[in-house]
Amino acid sequence: MDRFRMIFQFLQSNQESFMNGICGIMALASAQMYSAFDFNCPCLPRYNLAYGLGILLVPPLILFLLGFVLNNNVSMLAEEWRRPQGQRGKDPAVLRYMFCSMAQRAMIAPVVWVSVTLLDGKCITCAFCTSVPVETLGNASHPGLSQEEMKLVLARIPCKEIYDGQELIANEVAIRYLRCISQALGWCFVLLMTTLAFLVRSLRPCFTQAAFLKSRYWSHYIDIERKLFDETCAEHARSFAKVCIQQFFEGMSTDLAATRCHLPSKAPADVGEAAEKLLGITDRGTMNTALKSWHRCKPPLHLHPPALPTGNGWAGEGQPPAQPPVPRREMVAYYSRV
């Protein structure tokens, strides 16, 4: 049990590295899922487009939402967004920074899925097989086929075992044509995502360094404040339970002492320490009121630190000037007279 507790504490203290690892695992899992996925195109004009684009876009959406679900900061962002104003204002820049940080991690697995899918080419082949330019790649003058019949034949291009339009266009030619387009789109998508990631991660702090540092600081503060509040509540609950259990057994001991004429045992010292940690909150109603007060009206972020008089103009303005130091000779003469 202690090992699991140590692992849990380590993950809490290294939450950012842990979330990066989770995103990496999800990215590898998405690639593995696609390789294990049995792609079966329906080979029907009405369903090919929906099936191909659905396989291309729906799983990335699921992986994106799953990335938010596995992120512990989602509840913290929602709590900070929905909490009452109280004595502490809400900074939209901090909320945007928190959301963007979570979105960047959650987008890794969907980007991998879309990239692998486009580079493989099966989805694009299934979705757009009816749009193959027969005039350029095949025999557009094939007699006896209407527009609907031609679409029905082209829709069977991904299914080699049932394709019967070799006289119209060769199956291998159409598949190579669509796969080439799909791979080109895949590499363009990879280049676009890489460029966007570079711009977001590298260039944004350079243009808005002050705002970036402010948003990152207060997002860290909100995270640390929540963790410390949870730890304080857990410690208070542990002390509350210890005192409550001790009082129960003291009552039982008093009843037994009254019936058997035995002196009740003295309470241990750790119970007294636990009672001190309760900070005067010793009943359920008071604790509920304190928790509601924390949610409705968090304390303002102003600790009233003592001003340090300095000569640089940004701290200690309006303070009385510091007294000049007493010369050492006068101090020696004074203590020699004393």
Side-chain angles (χ1 to χ4, degrees):
M1 194 65 182
D2 294 337
R3 293 181 178 178
F4 287 108
R5 187 178 302 171
M6 292 176 60
I7 294 175
F8 182 72
Q9 292 177 354
F10 174 77
L11 294 179
Q12 279 190 332
S13 60
N14 299 272
Q15 188 175 5
E16 185 174 357
S17 300
F18 174 68
M19 289 308 304
N20 291 335
I22 289 293
C23 294
I25 293 174
M26 287 184 59
L28 295 177
S30 64
Q32 188 66 24
M33 285 170 56
Y34 180 80
S35 61
F37 178 71
D38 188 12
F39 187 88
N40 292 314
C41 185
C43 295
L44 294 172
R46 297 182 180 179
Y47 302 104
N48 281 11
L49 181 62
Y51 183 81
L53 294 183
I55 297 300
L56 179 65
L57 301 177
V58 174
L61 178 61
I62 297 175
L63 292 172
F64 181 72
L65 296 177
L66 188 61
F68 275 97
V69 171
L70 295 178
N71 198 319
N72 295 329
N73 294 330
V74 173
S75 58
M76 180 181 64
L77 176 61
E79 178 183 352
E80 183 67 18
W81 178 47
R82 296 294 300 172
R83 70 172 176 84
Q85 190 79 8
Q87 299 181 6
R88 181 187 301 182
K90 291 184 288 187
D91 191 353
V94 178
L95 299 178
R96 286 195 300 267
Y97 175 83
M98 296 169 62
F99 176 79
C100 292
S101 299
M102 291 185 290
Q104 289 173 14
R105 294 189 179 96
M107 285 184 63
I108 296 177
V111 167
V112 172
W113 178 276
V114 174
S115 302
V116 173
T117 304
L118 290 176
L119 292 176
D120 184 67
K122 293 180 181 178
C123 289
I124 298 298
T125 302
C126 179
F128 298 100
C129 58
T130 57
S131 301
V132 174
V134 181
E135 298 81 2
T136 305
L137 303 177
N139 183 15
S141 61
H142 184 73
L145 289 178
S146 63
Q147 192 70 19
E148 294 295 330
E149 292 176 345
M150 184 177 295
K151 286 187 177 181
L152 182 62
V153 172
L154 294 177
R156 297 175 182 175
I157 289 177
C159 306
K160 295 181 180 180
E161 61 276 4
I162 63 173
Y163 180 67
D164 55 356
Q166 294 291 342
E167 297 179 358
L168 180 64
I169 182 173
N171 179 270
E172 189 65 26
V173 173
I175 290 179
R176 285 177 177 272
Y177 172 77
L178 293 172
R179 185 171 294 177
C180 177
I181 295 177
S182 179
Q183 291 178 352
L185 292 175
W187 285 116
C188 291
F189 180 77
V190 172
L191 177 62
L192 177 63
M193 291 295 103
T194 306
T195 305
L196 288 178
F198 172 75
L199 293 176
V200 171
R201 302 289 292 180
S202 301
L203 300 183
R204 185 184 64 175
C206 298
F207 292 104
T208 58
Q209 184 67 22
F212 176 76
L213 291 176
K214 182 188 70 172
S215 302
R216 185 171 62 178
Y217 174 85
W218 289 115
S219 65
H220 291 336
Y221 173 83
I222 294 172
D223 186 20
I224 295 173
E225 183 187 53
R226 184 187 181 187
K227 291 179 181 178
L228 292 178
F229 182 78
D230 292 341
E231 293 175 1
T232 305
C233 289
E235 185 178 358
H236 188 277
R238 189 180 298 108
S239 303
F240 196 102
K242 183 180 294 186
V243 174
C244 186
I245 294 172
Q246 181 63 30
Q247 289 180 357
F248 170 77
F249 281 104
E250 284 180 357
M252 294 294 296
S253 177
T254 303
D255 294 340
L256 292 176
T259 56
R260 300 182 183 180
C261 299
H262 291 295
L263 294 176
S265 58
K266 187 178 180 181
D270 57 348
V271 177
E273 296 178 358
E276 293 179 357
K277 292 181 180 180
L278 294 179
L279 302 175
I281 304 177
T282 56
D283 60 275
R284 185 174 182 176
T286 308
M287 190 64 213
N288 291 337
T289 303
L291 294 176
K292 290 180 182 178
S293 300
W294 175 262
H295 172 70
R296 293 177 180 175
C297 187
K298 289 186 178 181
L301 299 176
H302 187 62
L303 303 181
H304 302 285
L308 298 178
T310 57
N312 51 15
W314 62 270
E317 294 183 359
Q319 299 291 335
Q323 297 295 330
V326 181
R328 186 173 181 180
R329 293 181 179 178
E330 296 182 3
M331 292 178 61
V332 173
Y334 172 77
Y335 284 107
S336 63
R337 291 196 301 269
V338 175

